[in-house]
Amino acid sequence: SLVVLQMLFNLTTKEILYTRARSAGAFSNGYSKRPCFYILPSFVSPGMKAFLAADEWQRQIGPDIEFYKAAHKSLDRTIDALGRDEVNRRLEDLRAALQLASKNCEGRVLTMCSAAGAVIKPRNTTCYYWGEGCDHDCIDELEL
């Protein structure tokens, strides 16, 4: 869907490029005075699995599932209108660019939290604002 957005708005690959900033097993910042916190890896306990499979939950999320199906169907129609082969070609271009950005930015992105969970003062990060856009320098210098 990111590639479809790129095509609909006539964006370059660089304009939609990103790196993974925060993920499970790492530290992330909260609001301005909040210390860094650890992002727990996700898991589904046996109790959660039973709850999610229960009829009551399935009825409750029924409208959400229908909305998702409609959105997916609309996306498929848009891909067909744009040309599935062209969308797939641009998707491969994006995947290659994502790998290049990941390699180029490795060890260079300084967020609000160190790998050990210590707060890094904003003036010592590579971020635009708080923990956002920390990868802009290493992405901007890429030649795509």
Side-chain angles (χ1 to χ4, degrees), residues 25-53:
F27 285 89
S28 182
N29 62 295
Y31 295 100
S32 60
K33 301 289 183 190
R34 186 174 180 187
C36 297
F37 63 92
Y38 184 72
I39 303 172
L40 293 172
S42 64
F43 67 95
V44 179
S45 70
M48 292 165 63
K49 196 176 286 190
F51 174 80
L52 295 172

Side-chain angles (χ1 to χ4, degrees), residues 118-131:
V119 175
I120 298 173
K121 294 181 186 211
R123 66 179 179 276
N124 296 327
T125 73
T126 58
C127 307
Y128 278 131
Y129 180 77
W130 291 110

Side-chain angles (χ1 to χ4, degrees), residues 3-142:
V3 169
V4 169
L5 181 75
Q6 174 191 22
M7 294 174 74
L8 291 174
F9 287 97
N10 198 28
L11 301 171
T12 66
T13 299
K14 192 182 277 189
E15 289 173 317
I16 63 169
L17 202 53
Y18 63 92
T19 60
R20 186 176 301 269
R22 292 172 283 244
S23 59
F27 285 89
S28 182
N29 62 295
Y31 295 100
S32 60
K33 301 289 183 190
R34 186 174 180 187
C36 297
F37 63 92
Y38 184 72
I39 303 172
L40 293 172
S42 64
F43 67 95
V44 179
S45 70
M48 292 165 63
K49 196 176 286 190
F51 174 80
L52 295 172
D55 289 342
E56 179 182 351
W57 176 251
Q58 292 302 311
R59 275 191 305 277
Q60 187 172 344
I61 65 168
D64 294 329
I65 299 298
E66 291 306 311
F67 179 77
Y68 171 81
K69 287 178 184 177
H72 198 274
K73 188 175 183 178
S74 178
L75 178 61
D76 274 344
R77 285 194 307 263
T78 303
I79 290 170
D80 288 338
L82 292 170
R84 196 164 288 274
D85 289 341
E86 180 63 12
V87 171
N88 285 332
R89 184 190 68 74
R90 290 195 188 201
L91 179 58
E92 290 307 312
D93 289 348
L94 176 60
R95 287 179 176 153
L98 286 167
Q99 287 182 346
L100 183 63
S102 180
K103 287 178 186 171
N104 193 54
C105 294
E106 188 174 352
R108 297 178 55 199
V109 176
L110 302 175
T111 64
M112 299 279 300
C113 301
S114 72
V119 175
I120 298 173
K121 294 181 186 211
R123 66 179 179 276
N124 296 327
T125 73
T126 58
C127 307
Y128 278 131
Y129 180 77
W130 291 110
E132 306 306 323
C134 303
D135 55 5
H136 67 93
D137 284 336
C138 59
I139 287 178
D140 286 349
E141 69 187 24
L142 291 174

